């Protein structure tokens, strides 16, 4: 029973990533306002912003299986897995999920549905 959902990393990392992404949008707006004519450079930077935003949203996935949680990040070497036996505590919080393992604590921003499914799946 593998289910895939989208997630965002904890709040400080999300703020940093999305700030850099929004800088691309602001650069696009700056070009548009500075040149005063809508040119190809404005379109190109806006398209780059849309692509980077889609990449950040669509590539971050969590896969729930019977034995582990697999997290896929934007940069592949940041992917990680948490085995069910390594989880000490899993807690649903207001904006996501808190997972405590014997090695590290993870805070993830996920929807309520993902948090409940992960909790039910890992609490068994």
């Amino acid at each position: 029973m593998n289910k895939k959902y989208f997630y965002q990393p904890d709040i400080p990392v999300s703020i940093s990533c999305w700030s850099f992404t929004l800088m691309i949008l602001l650069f696009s707006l700056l070009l548009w306002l500075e040149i005063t004519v809508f040119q190809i450079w404005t379109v190109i930077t806006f398209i780059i912003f849309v692509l980077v935003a889609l990449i950040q949203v669509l590539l971050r996935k969590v896969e729930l299986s019977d034995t582990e949680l697999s997290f896929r990040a934007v940069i592949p070497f940041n992917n990680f897995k948490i085995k069910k036996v390594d989880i000490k505590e899993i807690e649903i919080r207001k904006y996501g999920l808190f997972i405590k393992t014997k090695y590290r604590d993870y805070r993830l921003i996920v929807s309520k549905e993902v948090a409940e499914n992960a909790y039910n799946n890992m609490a068994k």
Side-chain angles (χ1 to χ4, degrees), residues 27-48:
F27 182 69
S28 173
L29 292 174
L30 178 79
L31 280 177
W32 179 39
L33 293 174
E34 195 62 35
I35 300 172
T36 65
V37 178
F38 198 70
Q39 289 190 353
I40 190 70
W41 299 110
T42 306
V43 174
I44 289 171
T45 55
F46 184 74
I47 289 172
I48 290 171

Side-chain angles (χ1 to χ4, degrees), residues 7-10 71 80 95-99 106-110:
Y7 81 97
Q8 291 294 313
D10 61 340
F71 293 91
F80 63 94
Y95 294 108
L97 201 58
F98 177 75
I99 302 170
Y106 299 94
R107 290 173 186 84
L108 305 167
I109 300 171
V110 293

